[in-house]
Amino acid sequence: HVSLQPLTQPETRTREAFAEAMAAFSLPEGARVAVAVSGGADSMALLRLLAVWAQDRKIAVCALTVDHGLRDAAAAEAEHVGAWAAAIGVPHTSLRWENGSALRGQTRSFQSAAREARYGLMTSWCAAHECTHLFVGHHADDQVETFFLRLTRGSGVDGLSAMAPAARRGSIVVARPLLAITKAQLLDFCRDIGQAWIEDPSNHSTASGRVRFRNARAMLAGEGLTHERLLATIAHLQRARAALDEGVAGLLASACVWDECGVATLDIPRLLS
């Protein structure tokens, strides 16, 4: 059971924004979901927000932490998360990435491999335990950083529309309900409810492009690229991507026929018309 304390005004706004985002996922009463919790402020805020929201709707929440083995403190951090989850009545499971320790000290970037391993471990756990959704703590600042990273790679509409609120990995929906909430709001939320968190030293390393863009935020805002304007641009691109996806889906529906064996036949003249 999650105990509720009197809400501060900023905390109320954060909970309201979270509830508004959660409405899009249409979770039925009695559903089972999981939440990825590294122990950072973002994921701890997500855990606390989701626990209260789910309790009111009789939805079961399980917390998952991946012990990546990339730092000596990883196992202890997973234990801390387990204790914090237990304190609010949320069951917790720690998943070990066995290959992580072997990558320590390598100069090449292994962030992509680590990310794929984390998602693989967590979505496999979800599938095995009948959890339909995996909630992750990507927030508005992450969305802006993703936009800049993809801009530097010359991405088109798909890439520049950044992260979608929901995406499928196999049978599991990866859900991002914090995309309209800033890092500062999440930090304030944790402080307001007295929730401690873990600082990952890699979040301050300028070897990461995300960190360099984060450090350049004040300069970019001075040139007119404010947080709000960038999020509005991303929203425009997401609408453009949705329109393109809808058009392609409609074209395929009219020009493509699937047989009982899963083989498609294309009407080429209609496809090119």
Side-chain angles (χ1 to χ4, degrees):
H1 180 79
V2 182
S3 60
L4 295 179
Q5 302 296 325
L7 303 183
T8 65
Q9 189 173 4
E11 184 187 345
T12 299
R13 287 197 296 269
T14 300
R15 290 196 186 278
E16 288 173 349
F18 182 78
E20 183 178 347
M22 288 298 295
F25 302 115
S26 303
L27 287 166
E29 185 175 302
R32 285 177 57 83
V33 302
V35 53
V37 189
S38 66
D42 314 336
S43 63
M44 290 309 304
L46 174 59
L47 172 63
R48 298 295 298 267
L49 287 162
L50 184 61
V52 172
W53 182 92
Q55 179 180 289
D56 293 342
R57 294 160 179 80
K58 297 181 173 60
I59 291 172
V61 177
C62 305
L64 302 179
T65 303
V66 175
D67 173 5
H68 48 67
L70 297 171
R71 291 183 285 105
D72 289 334
E77 289 171 356
E79 290 182 9
H80 276 301
V81 173
W84 287 331
I88 60 170
V90 174
H92 173 265
T93 298
S94 182
L95 305 171
R96 172 75 177 177
W97 183 34
E98 297 298 339
N99 294 337
S101 58
L103 296 178
R104 289 193 193 190
Q106 294 192 13
T107 55
R108 67 178 181 84
S109 173
F110 47 79
Q111 290 179 346
S112 179
R115 181 172 57 253
E116 288 303 311
R118 286 196 300 270
Y119 277 116
L121 286 166
M122 290 189 290
T123 54
S124 293
W125 189 95
C126 288
H129 293 82
E130 299 181 335
C131 290
T132 58
H133 291 62
L134 172 66
F135 285 87
V136 297
H138 295 130
H139 48 74
D141 298 52
D142 293 324
Q143 188 75 307
V144 168
E145 290 158 16
T146 297
F147 171 82
F148 278 123
L149 285 170
R150 294 181 179 177
L151 184 65
T152 63
R153 298 168 187 163
S155 296
V157 172
D158 277 2
L160 295 179
S161 59
M163 293 180 284
R168 280 200 170 271
R169 283 189 172 240
S171 63
I172 307 302
V173 175
V174 176
R176 302 182 178 97
L178 303 182
L179 290 180
I181 302 175
T182 66
K183 174 79 169 186
Q185 287 175 285
L186 297 173
L187 289 170
D188 286 343
F189 176 80
C190 285
R191 294 187 188 104
D192 284 347
I193 65 173
Q195 175 61 61
W197 65 85
I198 298 164
E199 286 288 350
D200 183 345
S202 67
N203 289 335
H204 305 287
S205 171
T206 55
S208 166
R210 285 187 178 274
V211 173
R212 293 194 296 274
F213 282 124
R214 201 172 303 154
N215 293 341
R217 186 177 303 161
M219 180 272 290
L220 295 169
E223 295 298 325
L225 292 175
T226 63
H227 205 77
E228 294 74 19
R229 187 166 293 175
L230 287 164
L231 289 174
T233 298
I234 292 167
H236 294 326
L237 288 163
Q238 287 179 336
R239 287 193 288 272
R241 179 180 180 178
L244 289 169
D245 287 346
E246 184 177 349
V248 170
L251 180 58
L252 286 176
S254 66
C256 181
V257 177
W258 295 87
D259 67 18
E260 58 191 17
C261 296
V263 177
T265 301
L266 286 176
D267 183 334
I268 299 300
R270 180 172 293 180
L271 186 67
L272 297 178
S273 63

PDB file of all heavy atoms in Angstrom, residues 161-192:
ATOM      1  N   SER A 161      11.426  13.049 -35.203  1.00  0.00           N
ATOM      2  CA  SER A 161      10.231  13.019 -34.357  1.00  0.00           C
ATOM      3  C   SER A 161      10.546  12.421 -32.990  1.00  0.00           C
ATOM      4  O   SER A 161       9.690  12.358 -32.114  1.00  0.00           O
ATOM      5  CB  SER A 161       9.103  12.237 -35.031  1.00  0.00           C
ATOM      6  OG  SER A 161       9.501  10.901 -35.300  1.00  0.00           O
ATOM      7  N   ALA A 162      11.818  12.003 -32.811  1.00  0.00           N
ATOM      8  CA  ALA A 162      12.353  11.560 -31.512  1.00  0.00           C
ATOM      9  C   ALA A 162      11.586  10.366 -30.973  1.00  0.00           C
ATOM     10  O   ALA A 162      11.200   9.487 -31.728  1.00  0.00           O
ATOM     11  CB  ALA A 162      12.407  12.722 -30.535  1.00  0.00           C
ATOM     12  N   MET A 163      11.373  10.327 -29.659  1.00  0.00           N
ATOM     13  CA  MET A 163      10.794   9.139 -29.031  1.00  0.00           C
ATOM     14  C   MET A 163       9.274   9.211 -28.996  1.00  0.00           C
ATOM     15  O   MET A 163       8.697  10.244 -28.632  1.00  0.00           O
ATOM     16  CB  MET A 163      11.335   8.973 -27.608  1.00  0.00           C
ATOM     17  CG  MET A 163      12.811   8.656 -27.552  1.00  0.00           C
ATOM     18  SD  MET A 163      13.430   8.473 -25.852  1.00  0.00           S
ATOM     19  CE  MET A 163      13.499  10.203 -25.328  1.00  0.00           C
ATOM     20  N   ALA A 164       8.644   8.108 -29.349  1.00  0.00           N
ATOM     21  CA  ALA A 164       7.187   8.027 -29.280  1.00  0.00           C
ATOM     22  C   ALA A 164       6.761   7.679 -27.854  1.00  0.00           C
ATOM     23  O   ALA A 164       7.505   7.017 -27.121  1.00  0.00           O
ATOM     24  CB  ALA A 164       6.675   6.962 -30.245  1.00  0.00           C
ATOM     25  N   PRO A 165       5.563   8.112 -27.441  1.00  0.00           N
ATOM     26  CA  PRO A 165       5.095   7.751 -26.096  1.00  0.00           C
ATOM     27  C   PRO A 165       4.991   6.235 -25.885  1.00  0.00           C
ATOM     28  O   PRO A 165       5.123   5.768 -24.754  1.00  0.00           O
ATOM     29  CB  PRO A 165       3.721   8.415 -26.016  1.00  0.00           C
ATOM     30  CG  PRO A 165       3.772   9.527 -27.011  1.00  0.00           C
ATOM     31  CD  PRO A 165       4.638   9.020 -28.122  1.00  0.00           C
ATOM     32  N   ALA A 166       4.779   5.501 -26.956  1.00  0.00           N
ATOM     33  CA  ALA A 166       4.688   4.043 -26.840  1.00  0.00           C
ATOM     34  C   ALA A 166       5.307   3.400 -28.068  1.00  0.00           C
ATOM     35  O   ALA A 166       5.162   3.894 -29.183  1.00  0.00           O
ATOM     36  CB  ALA A 166       3.230   3.599 -26.688  1.00  0.00           C
ATOM     37  N   ALA A 167       6.029   2.314 -27.852  1.00  0.00           N
ATOM     38  CA  ALA A 167       6.632   1.564 -28.945  1.00  0.00           C
ATOM     39  C   ALA A 167       6.631   0.089 -28.559  1.00  0.00           C
ATOM     40  O   ALA A 167       6.726  -0.251 -27.369  1.00  0.00           O
ATOM     41  CB  ALA A 167       8.062   2.036 -29.204  1.00  0.00           C
ATOM     42  N   ARG A 168       6.534  -0.784 -29.544  1.00  0.00           N
ATOM     43  CA  ARG A 168       6.486  -2.218 -29.256  1.00  0.00           C
ATOM     44  C   ARG A 168       7.862  -2.844 -29.392  1.00  0.00           C
ATOM     45  O   ARG A 168       8.605  -2.558 -30.317  1.00  0.00           O
ATOM     46  CB  ARG A 168       5.511  -2.938 -30.182  1.00  0.00           C
ATOM     47  CG  ARG A 168       4.073  -2.791 -29.754  1.00  0.00           C
ATOM     48  CD  ARG A 168       3.183  -3.867 -30.362  1.00  0.00           C
ATOM     49  NE  ARG A 168       1.863  -3.828 -29.755  1.00  0.00           N
ATOM     50  CZ  ARG A 168       1.515  -4.500 -28.669  1.00  0.00           C
ATOM     51  NH1 ARG A 168       2.403  -5.286 -28.085  1.00  0.00           N
ATOM     52  NH2 ARG A 168       0.304  -4.412 -28.170  1.00  0.00           N
ATOM     53  N   ARG A 169       8.176  -3.720 -28.446  1.00  0.00           N
ATOM     54  CA  ARG A 169       9.334  -4.613 -28.537  1.00  0.00           C
ATOM     55  C   ARG A 169       8.780  -6.007 -28.359  1.00  0.00           C
ATOM     56  O   ARG A 169       8.519  -6.449 -27.241  1.00  0.00           O
ATOM     57  CB  ARG A 169      10.376  -4.283 -27.476  1.00  0.00           C
ATOM     58  CG  ARG A 169      11.202  -3.050 -27.825  1.00  0.00           C
ATOM     59  CD  ARG A 169      12.373  -2.877 -26.875  1.00  0.00           C
ATOM     60  NE  ARG A 169      13.248  -1.812 -27.356  1.00  0.00           N
ATOM     61  CZ  ARG A 169      14.533  -1.975 -27.668  1.00  0.00           C
ATOM     62  NH1 ARG A 169      15.096  -3.164 -27.548  1.00  0.00           N
ATOM     63  NH2 ARG A 169      15.255  -0.965 -28.084  1.00  0.00           N
ATOM     64  N   GLY A 170       8.565  -6.682 -29.492  1.00  0.00           N
ATOM     65  CA  GLY A 170       7.888  -7.964 -29.448  1.00  0.00           C
ATOM     66  C   GLY A 170       6.455  -7.768 -28.986  1.00  0.00           C
ATOM     67  O   GLY A 170       5.727  -6.925 -29.504  1.00  0.00           O
ATOM     68  N   SER A 171       6.054  -8.513 -27.972  1.00  0.00           N
ATOM     69  CA  SER A 171       4.679  -8.424 -27.469  1.00  0.00           C
ATOM     70  C   SER A 171       4.512  -7.353 -26.395  1.00  0.00           C
ATOM     71  O   SER A 171       3.396  -7.129 -25.914  1.00  0.00           O
ATOM     72  CB  SER A 171       4.258  -9.781 -26.898  1.00  0.00           C
ATOM     73  OG  SER A 171       5.084 -10.129 -25.789  1.00  0.00           O
ATOM     74  N   ILE A 172       5.601  -6.682 -26.005  1.00  0.00           N
ATOM     75  CA  ILE A 172       5.569  -5.746 -24.884  1.00  0.00           C
ATOM     76  C   ILE A 172       5.531  -4.299 -25.378  1.00  0.00           C
ATOM     77  O   ILE A 172       6.278  -3.929 -26.293  1.00  0.00           O
ATOM     78  CB  ILE A 172       6.803  -5.935 -23.971  1.00  0.00           C
ATOM     79  CG1 ILE A 172       6.939  -7.402 -23.555  1.00  0.00           C
ATOM     80  CG2 ILE A 172       6.706  -5.022 -22.745  1.00  0.00           C
ATOM     81  CD1 ILE A 172       5.735  -7.972 -22.840  1.00  0.00           C
ATOM     82  N   VAL A 173       4.665  -3.494 -24.773  1.00  0.00           N
ATOM     83  CA  VAL A 173       4.619  -2.069 -25.073  1.00  0.00           C
ATOM     84  C   VAL A 173       5.602  -1.350 -24.156  1.00  0.00           C
ATOM     85  O   VAL A 173       5.496  -1.445 -22.925  1.00  0.00           O
ATOM     86  CB  VAL A 173       3.207  -1.488 -24.860  1.00  0.00           C
ATOM     87  CG1 VAL A 173       3.207   0.028 -25.068  1.00  0.00           C
ATOM     88  CG2 VAL A 173       2.206  -2.157 -25.792  1.00  0.00           C
ATOM     89  N   VAL A 174       6.587  -0.660 -24.742  1.00  0.00           N
ATOM     90  CA  VAL A 174       7.495   0.184 -23.966  1.00  0.00           C
ATOM     91  C   VAL A 174       6.839   1.566 -23.883  1.00  0.00           C
ATOM     92  O   VAL A 174       6.648   2.235 -24.900  1.00  0.00           O
ATOM     93  CB  VAL A 174       8.885   0.274 -24.617  1.00  0.00           C
ATOM     94  CG1 VAL A 174       9.780   1.226 -23.837  1.00  0.00           C
ATOM     95  CG2 VAL A 174       9.521  -1.113 -24.689  1.00  0.00           C
ATOM     96  N   ALA A 175       6.469   1.959 -22.667  1.00  0.00           N
ATOM     97  CA  ALA A 175       5.666   3.169 -22.460  1.00  0.00           C
ATOM     98  C   ALA A 175       6.501   4.269 -21.820  1.00  0.00           C
ATOM     99  O   ALA A 175       7.246   4.020 -20.867  1.00  0.00           O
ATOM    100  CB  ALA A 175       4.465   2.835 -21.580  1.00  0.00           C
ATOM    101  N   ARG A 176       6.321   5.505 -22.330  1.00  0.00           N
ATOM    102  CA  ARG A 176       7.082   6.662 -21.842  1.00  0.00           C
ATOM    103  C   ARG A 176       6.116   7.768 -21.425  1.00  0.00           C
ATOM    104  O   ARG A 176       5.845   8.692 -22.198  1.00  0.00           O
ATOM    105  CB  ARG A 176       8.027   7.170 -22.938  1.00  0.00           C
ATOM    106  CG  ARG A 176       9.022   6.131 -23.435  1.00  0.00           C
ATOM    107  CD  ARG A 176       9.941   6.726 -24.487  1.00  0.00           C
ATOM    108  NE  ARG A 176      10.933   5.782 -24.950  1.00  0.00           N
ATOM    109  CZ  ARG A 176      10.824   5.042 -26.061  1.00  0.00           C
ATOM    110  NH1 ARG A 176       9.737   5.148 -26.825  1.00  0.00           N
ATOM    111  NH2 ARG A 176      11.774   4.216 -26.400  1.00  0.00           N
ATOM    112  N   PRO A 177       5.612   7.721 -20.198  1.00  0.00           N
ATOM    113  CA  PRO A 177       4.616   8.719 -19.779  1.00  0.00           C
ATOM    114  C   PRO A 177       5.196  10.045 -19.286  1.00  0.00           C
ATOM    115  O   PRO A 177       4.434  10.938 -18.920  1.00  0.00           O
ATOM    116  CB  PRO A 177       3.892   8.003 -18.633  1.00  0.00           C
ATOM    117  CG  PRO A 177       4.953   7.114 -18.041  1.00  0.00           C
ATOM    118  CD  PRO A 177       5.809   6.670 -19.195  1.00  0.00           C
ATOM    119  N   LEU A 178       6.527  10.184 -19.267  1.00  0.00           N
ATOM    120  CA  LEU A 178       7.140  11.400 -18.718  1.00  0.00           C
ATOM    121  C   LEU A 178       7.634  12.362 -19.794  1.00  0.00           C
ATOM    122  O   LEU A 178       8.311  13.341 -19.474  1.00  0.00           O
ATOM    123  CB  LEU A 178       8.330  11.037 -17.816  1.00  0.00           C
ATOM    124  CG  LEU A 178       8.063  10.105 -16.638  1.00  0.00           C
ATOM    125  CD1 LEU A 178       9.352   9.894 -15.841  1.00  0.00           C
ATOM    126  CD2 LEU A 178       6.963  10.641 -15.736  1.00  0.00           C
ATOM    127  N   LEU A 179       7.308  12.129 -21.054  1.00  0.00           N
ATOM    128  CA  LEU A 179       7.895  12.923 -22.139  1.00  0.00           C
ATOM    129  C   LEU A 179       7.501  14.398 -22.106  1.00  0.00           C
ATOM    130  O   LEU A 179       8.178  15.214 -22.725  1.00  0.00           O
ATOM    131  CB  LEU A 179       7.538  12.312 -23.497  1.00  0.00           C
ATOM    132  CG  LEU A 179       8.217  10.968 -23.819  1.00  0.00           C
ATOM    133  CD1 LEU A 179       7.771  10.467 -25.189  1.00  0.00           C
ATOM    134  CD2 LEU A 179       9.736  11.091 -23.763  1.00  0.00           C
ATOM    135  N   ALA A 180       6.440  14.731 -21.400  1.00  0.00           N
ATOM    136  CA  ALA A 180       6.050  16.139 -21.297  1.00  0.00           C
ATOM    137  C   ALA A 180       6.483  16.754 -19.972  1.00  0.00           C
ATOM    138  O   ALA A 180       6.157  17.916 -19.688  1.00  0.00           O
ATOM    139  CB  ALA A 180       4.537  16.274 -21.457  1.00  0.00           C
ATOM    140  N   ILE A 181       7.236  15.998 -19.164  1.00  0.00           N
ATOM    141  CA  ILE A 181       7.663  16.451 -17.841  1.00  0.00           C
ATOM    142  C   ILE A 181       9.176  16.633 -17.850  1.00  0.00           C
ATOM    143  O   ILE A 181       9.909  15.758 -18.314  1.00  0.00           O
ATOM    144  CB  ILE A 181       7.246  15.445 -16.754  1.00  0.00           C
ATOM    145  CG1 ILE A 181       5.722  15.255 -16.780  1.00  0.00           C
ATOM    146  CG2 ILE A 181       7.701  15.907 -15.379  1.00  0.00           C
ATOM    147  CD1 ILE A 181       5.219  14.190 -15.828  1.00  0.00           C
ATOM    148  N   THR A 182       9.655  17.765 -17.349  1.00  0.00           N
ATOM    149  CA  THR A 182      11.081  18.065 -17.414  1.00  0.00           C
ATOM    150  C   THR A 182      11.853  17.385 -16.286  1.00  0.00           C
ATOM    151  O   THR A 182      11.285  16.979 -15.268  1.00  0.00           O
ATOM    152  CB  THR A 182      11.340  19.576 -17.329  1.00  0.00           C
ATOM    153  OG1 THR A 182      10.948  20.039 -16.031  1.00  0.00           O
ATOM    154  CG2 THR A 182      10.569  20.323 -18.414  1.00  0.00           C
ATOM    155  N   LYS A 183      13.166  17.309 -16.483  1.00  0.00           N
ATOM    156  CA  LYS A 183      14.054  16.778 -15.450  1.00  0.00           C
ATOM    157  C   LYS A 183      13.919  17.586 -14.158  1.00  0.00           C
ATOM    158  O   LYS A 183      13.875  17.017 -13.053  1.00  0.00           O
ATOM    159  CB  LYS A 183      15.494  16.834 -15.957  1.00  0.00           C
ATOM    160  CG  LYS A 183      16.559  16.456 -14.940  1.00  0.00           C
ATOM    161  CD  LYS A 183      16.670  14.968 -14.779  1.00  0.00           C
ATOM    162  CE  LYS A 183      17.900  14.587 -13.963  1.00  0.00           C
ATOM    163  NZ  LYS A 183      18.095  13.127 -13.915  1.00  0.00           N
ATOM    164  N   ALA A 184      13.857  18.907 -14.280  1.00  0.00           N
ATOM    165  CA  ALA A 184      13.745  19.762 -13.101  1.00  0.00           C
ATOM    166  C   ALA A 184      12.476  19.451 -12.317  1.00  0.00           C
ATOM    167  O   ALA A 184      12.494  19.416 -11.077  1.00  0.00           O
ATOM    168  CB  ALA A 184      13.771  21.234 -13.508  1.00  0.00           C
ATOM    169  N   GLN A 185      11.376  19.215 -13.018  1.00  0.00           N
ATOM    170  CA  GLN A 185      10.123  18.865 -12.344  1.00  0.00           C
ATOM    171  C   GLN A 185      10.254  17.540 -11.603  1.00  0.00           C
ATOM    172  O   GLN A 185       9.730  17.385 -10.494  1.00  0.00           O
ATOM    173  CB  GLN A 185       8.985  18.778 -13.361  1.00  0.00           C
ATOM    174  CG  GLN A 185       8.516  20.114 -13.908  1.00  0.00           C
ATOM    175  CD  GLN A 185       7.480  19.931 -14.992  1.00  0.00           C
ATOM    176  OE1 GLN A 185       7.792  19.556 -16.126  1.00  0.00           O
ATOM    177  NE2 GLN A 185       6.228  20.173 -14.657  1.00  0.00           N
ATOM    178  N   LEU A 186      10.938  16.571 -12.210  1.00  0.00           N
ATOM    179  CA  LEU A 186      11.095  15.263 -11.573  1.00  0.00           C
ATOM    180  C   LEU A 186      11.978  15.358 -10.338  1.00  0.00           C
ATOM    181  O   LEU A 186      11.712  14.707  -9.317  1.00  0.00           O
ATOM    182  CB  LEU A 186      11.663  14.259 -12.578  1.00  0.00           C
ATOM    183  CG  LEU A 186      10.766  13.967 -13.783  1.00  0.00           C
ATOM    184  CD1 LEU A 186      11.498  13.088 -14.795  1.00  0.00           C
ATOM    185  CD2 LEU A 186       9.462  13.295 -13.345  1.00  0.00           C
ATOM    186  N   LEU A 187      13.033  16.175 -10.422  1.00  0.00           N
ATOM    187  CA  LEU A 187      13.885  16.384  -9.253  1.00  0.00           C
ATOM    188  C   LEU A 187      13.089  17.043  -8.131  1.00  0.00           C
ATOM    189  O   LEU A 187      13.187  16.634  -6.959  1.00  0.00           O
ATOM    190  CB  LEU A 187      15.087  17.247  -9.631  1.00  0.00           C
ATOM    191  CG  LEU A 187      16.150  16.581 -10.522  1.00  0.00           C
ATOM    192  CD1 LEU A 187      17.139  17.627 -11.022  1.00  0.00           C
ATOM    193  CD2 LEU A 187      16.884  15.484  -9.764  1.00  0.00           C
ATOM    194  N   ASP A 188      12.308  18.067  -8.467  1.00  0.00           N
ATOM    195  CA  ASP A 188      11.486  18.739  -7.459  1.00  0.00           C
ATOM    196  C   ASP A 188      10.477  17.772  -6.850  1.00  0.00           C
ATOM    197  O   ASP A 188      10.220  17.807  -5.638  1.00  0.00           O
ATOM    198  CB  ASP A 188      10.748  19.934  -8.071  1.00  0.00           C
ATOM    199  CG  ASP A 188      11.662  21.112  -8.346  1.00  0.00           C
ATOM    200  OD1 ASP A 188      12.779  21.146  -7.778  1.00  0.00           O
ATOM    201  OD2 ASP A 188      11.269  21.987  -9.137  1.00  0.00           O
ATOM    202  N   PHE A 189       9.915  16.905  -7.687  1.00  0.00           N
ATOM    203  CA  PHE A 189       8.935  15.925  -7.200  1.00  0.00           C
ATOM    204  C   PHE A 189       9.574  14.999  -6.168  1.00  0.00           C
ATOM    205  O   PHE A 189       9.009  14.756  -5.098  1.00  0.00           O
ATOM    206  CB  PHE A 189       8.388  15.118  -8.379  1.00  0.00           C
ATOM    207  CG  PHE A 189       7.446  14.023  -7.973  1.00  0.00           C
ATOM    208  CD1 PHE A 189       6.132  14.309  -7.673  1.00  0.00           C
ATOM    209  CD2 PHE A 189       7.877  12.707  -7.883  1.00  0.00           C
ATOM    210  CE1 PHE A 189       5.251  13.300  -7.280  1.00  0.00           C
ATOM    211  CE2 PHE A 189       7.013  11.695  -7.503  1.00  0.00           C
ATOM    212  CZ  PHE A 189       5.693  11.995  -7.197  1.00  0.00           C
ATOM    213  N   CYS A 190      10.771  14.483  -6.485  1.00  0.00           N
ATOM    214  CA  CYS A 190      11.463  13.594  -5.547  1.00  0.00           C
ATOM    215  C   CYS A 190      11.761  14.318  -4.233  1.00  0.00           C
ATOM    216  O   CYS A 190      11.601  13.756  -3.146  1.00  0.00           O
ATOM    217  CB  CYS A 190      12.749  13.066  -6.166  1.00  0.00           C
ATOM    218  SG  CYS A 190      12.499  11.772  -7.409  1.00  0.00           S
ATOM    219  N   ARG A 191      12.192  15.559  -4.332  1.00  0.00           N
ATOM    220  CA  ARG A 191      12.484  16.334  -3.114  1.00  0.00           C
ATOM    221  C   ARG A 191      11.212  16.547  -2.298  1.00  0.00           C
ATOM    222  O   ARG A 191      11.216  16.433  -1.063  1.00  0.00           O
ATOM    223  CB  ARG A 191      13.120  17.674  -3.478  1.00  0.00           C
ATOM    224  CG  ARG A 191      14.497  17.571  -4.126  1.00  0.00           C
ATOM    225  CD  ARG A 191      15.121  18.947  -4.304  1.00  0.00           C
ATOM    226  NE  ARG A 191      16.351  18.883  -5.090  1.00  0.00           N
ATOM    227  CZ  ARG A 191      16.453  19.239  -6.351  1.00  0.00           C
ATOM    228  NH1 ARG A 191      15.398  19.725  -7.011  1.00  0.00           N
ATOM    229  NH2 ARG A 191      17.608  19.143  -6.989  1.00  0.00           N
ATOM    230  N   ASP A 192      10.109  16.852  -2.975  1.00  0.00           N
ATOM    231  CA  ASP A 192       8.855  17.138  -2.281  1.00  0.00           C
ATOM    232  C   ASP A 192       8.344  15.928  -1.500  1.00  0.00           C
ATOM    233  O   ASP A 192       7.767  16.080  -0.421  1.00  0.00           O
ATOM    234  CB  ASP A 192       7.776  17.585  -3.276  1.00  0.00           C
ATOM    235  CG  ASP A 192       7.969  19.017  -3.747  1.00  0.00           C
ATOM    236  OD1 ASP A 192       8.782  19.739  -3.130  1.00  0.00           O
ATOM    237  OD2 ASP A 192       7.318  19.415  -4.731  1.00  0.00           O
TER     238      ASP A 192
END
